[in-house]
């Protein structure tokens, strides 16, 4: 499966730390024969990939559409639609399907979101869905507040 991870507040904190468990989960996803892609609304974030030594996990790095999500894939030279996304913005997750994660800001030992993401991916890969409340099916309509 082609899995797209957002950068800011998803795998990277405001303090420039990598969310706990990111490398371990990336390796597990690769071991499960998934492909990992990184995208960001701030452009191609190669500096994050290099600084945190993520290059050997990643199959591609792209700019993420921040609106008109599906329509902008071609414009942003993303060669295929993501099959699963992990993002702190529920709108992106609802558009493509995947796992919403609460924003990650600072290094702390209690953050176990990456383990939860891995379980959701495994559920989806096995059953096409997940019972976890952070899972959103493709095309999910979000409530208006």
């Amino acid at each position: 499966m082609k899995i797209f991870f957002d950068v800011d507040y998803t795998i990277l904190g405001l303090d420039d730390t990598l969310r706990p468990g990111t490398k371990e989960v990336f390796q597990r996803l690769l071991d499960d024969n998934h492909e990992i892609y990184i995208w960001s609304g701030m452009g191609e974030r190669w500096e994050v990939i290099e600084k945190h030594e993520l290059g050997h996990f990643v199959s591609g790095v792209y700019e993420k559409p921040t609106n008109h999500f599906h329509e902008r894939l071609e414009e942003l030279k993303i060669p295929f639609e993501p099959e699963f996304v992990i993002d702190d913005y529920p709108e992106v997750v609802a558009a493509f399907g995947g796992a919403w994660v609460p924003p990650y800001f600072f290094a702390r030992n209690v953050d176990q979101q990456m383990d939860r993401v891995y379980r959701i991916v495994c559920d989806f890969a096995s059953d096409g869905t997940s019972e976890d409340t952070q899972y959103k099916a493709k095309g999910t309509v979000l409530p208006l507040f």
Side-chain angles (χ1 to χ4, degrees):
M1 189 164 42
K2 293 172 174 46
I3 302 173
F4 280 65
F5 282 83
D6 175 52
V7 176
D8 294 311
Y9 314 122
T10 299
I11 64 167
L12 188 71
L14 185 62
D15 62 353
D16 203 32
T17 60
L18 203 57
R19 183 174 224 141
T22 297
K23 288 183 178 181
E24 294 81 3
V25 166
F26 279 12
Q27 185 60 60
R28 291 169 75 186
L29 291 171
L30 290 179
D31 291 345
D32 292 345
N33 295 314
H34 298 294
E35 296 174 16
I36 297 170
Y37 297 87
I38 303 295
W39 65 358
S40 171
M42 301 295 290
E44 297 178 9
R45 302 293 297 280
W46 286 105
E47 75 282 1
V48 173
I49 304 306
E50 292 169 10
K51 178 178 181 178
H52 293 282
E53 301 176 345
L54 300 175
H56 63 285
F57 297 112
V58 176
S59 294
V61 178
Y62 300 99
E63 180 175 351
K64 177 179 77 175
T66 55
N67 58 26
H68 304 289
F69 305 113
H70 296 278
E71 297 86 349
R72 295 198 58 221
L73 292 175
E74 184 177 347
E75 169 194 340
L76 296 171
K77 297 180 176 47
I78 301 169
F80 40 77
E81 186 169 315
E83 295 175 293
F84 199 91
V85 300
I86 293 90
D87 206 303
D88 63 307
Y89 276 93
E91 299 84 2
V92 177
V93 177
F96 295 105
W100 170 81
V101 293
Y104 169 70
F105 296 111
F106 303 103
R108 57 181 181 252
N109 294 330
V110 295
D111 187 294
Q112 297 178 342
Q113 286 298 311
M114 292 304 287
D115 288 333
R116 189 170 186 178
V117 163
Y118 181 73
R119 288 191 302 273
I120 295 170
V121 170
C122 289
D123 289 347
F124 182 80
S126 173
D127 303 329
T129 190
S130 175
E131 295 298 318
D132 193 295
T133 58
Q134 287 181 211
Y135 167 74
K136 304 295 177 217
K138 180 178 179 179
T140 299
V141 176
L142 298 174
L144 298 174
F145 297 100

